[in-house]
Amino acid sequence: MNVKNNISNTIYLDYNATTPLEDEVLETITDALKNTWGNPSSSYPEGEKAKATITTARKQVARSINAQSSDIVFTSGGTEANNWVIATAIEHFERTQVKSQHQGEHRLKPHIVTTTIEHDAVTLPLINLKDKGEIDVTFVPVDKECRCVTVDDIVNAILPNTCLVTIMMANNETGVIMPIKEISEKISAMESESLRPLIHTDAAQALGKILVDVEDLGVDYLTLVGHKFYGPRIGALYVRGLGEGGAPLYPLFFGGAQERNYRPGTENTPMIAGLGKAAMIANDDLKSISEHMREIRDYLEKRLLAEFGDSKVKLNCSLAPRLPNTSSVSFIGQNMEGYKVLQNIKGFVCSTGSACHSNECKPSQVLLNFHVPFDIATNTIRLSTGRSTTKEDIDAVVKELKDVISSLSEIAI
């Protein structure tokens, strides 16, 4: 599936932002809209058919991350899943503390450990709760040498009242992969009188690009987002041992008994079916998908270096373990701000992390937190390739970038 804009026939290089529906996924959704429209909670044939469709999708999602189907709960997307984990960890801490607390003892405030490079769906709810005085948060910085968070820095941030450690599996702006498995192993091996904190990873950018195995990762919770792997805009939350003495999960909403009383509301059967199909494709074709993305990404970066040289272009975090499809690219020099580059591009689309208002342009705080210098971060665009991106596409992109950068250089003189 080669994604082109139907009007301008532009090349799409913003797959980390969202992906189109895979053809098989669209067919699955369409079929479900036509044939499994019944209420999954109803016992008559139409309802039973819808329920069976959801059961199949749950198994497909579970298989894609090596989980049990009973450990999967469907959500509206990654934001809900991440907020749900945070709320659950806080409530579990409060319930546990009440049970274990002696009369008259001072109650501790729940503490959460995260990083400075998380998605807003994690960062903003934590800041909101912290500002309201409900929790304490430690934002662990990225190590300047390895360009990722280190295991020791995460473990050293854990306190007796730490109820949750939440770290993204791979960063959406740089593609850098975090050492989730090693962090989980170290936390699980900690000897402490306090309860082990729950462990969550937002894997929105990971599925369909790299292996996602919850048993290997050792996490209690994992967030999946359909529209990042050619599926619909819903999500799923993995909860280790859900309902069987594993990680806790407390409802955010109250109403019906859907999703085993964890998430009320009549299930969105067509989108759930599409999510299952997308997860199945991402898992079954992972090797070929990942290899193709890496080949195209590497070709892109080699072409950029060949055309501009390392004195004019910088590949941010390129030495760190990265997703196979992501390049954070900065052009060196005056008048090279990322938003200006994008304003002059006509033949392809990508993104920039800069927030620009009037004549002021502030670089992405995430890039700054990855220790990218201010002026370099300001001049950054993100190019993220997809399953069908070709070398011919890359040749066209690099050619246009060369023309645009040349034009901006002349204006700066």
Side-chain angles (χ1 to χ4, degrees):
M1 179 189 297
N2 200 1
V3 181
K4 304 286 185 181
N5 184 295
N6 290 331
I7 299 175
S8 57
N9 200 39
T10 55
I11 297 166
Y12 186 76
L13 287 181
D14 204 17
Y15 288 90
N16 282 12
T18 196
T19 57
L21 289 175
E22 193 70 72
D23 290 343
E24 292 180 62
V25 174
L26 181 58
E27 291 170 6
T28 298
I29 292 172
T30 302
D31 180 72
L33 284 167
K34 293 178 179 178
N35 300 311
T36 56
W37 49 266
N39 191 319
S41 298
S42 301
S43 58
Y44 46 75
E46 291 82 0
E48 291 291 341
K49 191 173 183 180
K51 184 177 180 179
T53 296
I54 293 172
T55 297
T56 296
R58 200 185 307 275
K59 290 178 180 178
Q60 290 170 326
V61 171
R63 180 172 173 266
S64 73
I65 59 172
N66 191 28
Q68 300 296 316
S69 60
S70 57
D71 292 343
I72 301 298
V73 180
F74 295 111
T75 69
S76 61
T79 297
E80 179 191 340
N82 291 343
N83 277 260
W84 197 355
V85 170
I86 292 167
T88 286
I90 294 169
E91 182 170 349
H92 185 63
F93 175 85
E94 297 288 358
R95 292 188 183 194
T96 303
Q97 187 174 219
V98 167
K99 289 182 180 179
S100 61
Q101 189 178 41
H102 296 294
Q103 188 173 4
E105 285 185 355
H106 175 68
R107 293 190 66 186
L108 294 172
K109 190 182 294 186
H111 172 251
I112 294 176
V113 174
T114 189
T115 78
T116 58
I117 47 87
E118 299 299 312
H119 191 277
D120 280 349
V122 167
T123 299
L124 294 185
L126 291 180
I127 290 175
N128 178 58
L129 291 166
K130 183 178 184 295
D131 288 347
K132 291 194 294 186
E134 297 181 16
I135 64 172
D136 289 326
V137 185
T138 297
F139 292 93
V140 177
V142 167
D143 182 80
K144 193 170 184 178
E145 296 301 320
C146 70
R147 298 300 176 99
C148 64
V149 293
T150 69
V151 176
D152 287 343
D153 284 346
I154 295 296
V155 171
N156 290 337
I158 294 175
L159 304 172
N161 57 322
T162 302
C163 62
L164 178 68
V165 174
T166 174
I167 303 169
M168 61 171 34
M169 191 169 177
N171 184 261
N172 51 302
E173 293 192 37
T174 64
V176 173
I177 300 169
M178 299 297 147
I180 303 300
K181 175 183 178 180
E182 292 78 9
I183 290 169
S184 296
E185 289 176 344
K186 197 70 174 285
I187 291 175
S188 297
M190 290 175 61
E191 293 183 3
S192 173
E193 293 181 1
S194 62
L195 294 175
R196 175 183 72 79
L198 297 163
I199 306 170
H200 166 249
T201 187
D202 180 348
Q205 292 292 339
L207 188 65
K209 300 171 188 172
I210 59 175
L211 179 66
V212 180
D213 184 329
V214 293
E215 290 298 323
D216 185 59
L217 293 170
V219 295
D220 298 298
Y221 307 95
L222 184 140
T223 296
L224 294 175
V225 181
H227 73 99
K228 305 296 185 180
F229 54 92
Y230 294 76
R233 289 180 180 171
I234 65 168
L237 177 64
Y238 159 80
V239 185
R240 178 185 54 82
L242 181 59
E244 299 178 359
L249 187 67
Y250 303 113
L252 275 180
F253 318 114
F254 296 89
Q258 292 87 356
E259 292 294 280
R260 292 163 291 164
N261 287 306
Y262 291 110
R263 187 178 187 273
T266 303
E267 297 91 339
N268 190 346
T269 306
M271 296 304 110
I272 290 173
L275 184 70
K277 175 61 77 170
M280 185 186 77
I281 294 171
N283 179 71
D284 292 349
D285 299 341
L286 177 62
K287 187 175 185 294
S288 60
I289 289 171
S290 181
E291 287 178 351
H292 172 76
M293 286 180 173
R294 180 172 285 103
E295 179 184 4
I296 299 300
R297 191 274 311 275
D298 290 350
Y299 181 74
L300 164 66
E301 294 182 348
K302 289 177 182 177
R303 284 296 320 277
L304 288 170
L305 288 172
E307 290 292 342
F308 296 99
D310 56 13
S311 65
K312 295 295 184 181
V313 69
K314 180 175 175 57
L315 305 175
N316 301 309
C317 303
S318 60
L319 298 181
R322 287 183 297 159
L323 295 172
N325 78 316
T326 308
S327 291
S328 177
V329 180
S330 301
F331 295 98
I332 312 304
Q334 295 182 346
N335 206 41
M336 298 295 167
E337 292 89 345
Y339 79 97
K340 290 183 181 178
V341 174
L342 294 195
Q343 284 177 349
N344 286 274
I345 293 295
K346 306 299 181 186
F348 70 94
V349 294
C350 62
S351 67
T352 173
S354 300
C356 301
H357 307 280
S358 301
N359 295 321
E360 182 183 17
C361 186
K362 295 181 179 180
S364 160
Q365 188 60 49
V366 167
L367 288 178
L368 295 177
N369 290 339
F370 269 107
H371 305 286
V372 177
F374 188 94
D375 56 336
I376 303 298
T378 302
N379 292 10
T380 299
I381 61 174
R382 181 190 68 189
L383 303 168
S384 49
T385 62
R387 297 175 183 177
S388 59
T389 309
T390 66
K391 290 183 178 180
E392 289 74 22
D393 291 333
I394 298 305
D395 289 337
V397 166
V398 173
K399 182 180 184 300
E400 182 169 11
L401 278 172
K402 188 176 180 180
D403 292 340
V404 168
I405 297 303
S406 176
S407 176
L408 291 174
S409 297
E410 292 177 1
I411 296 173
I413 296 176

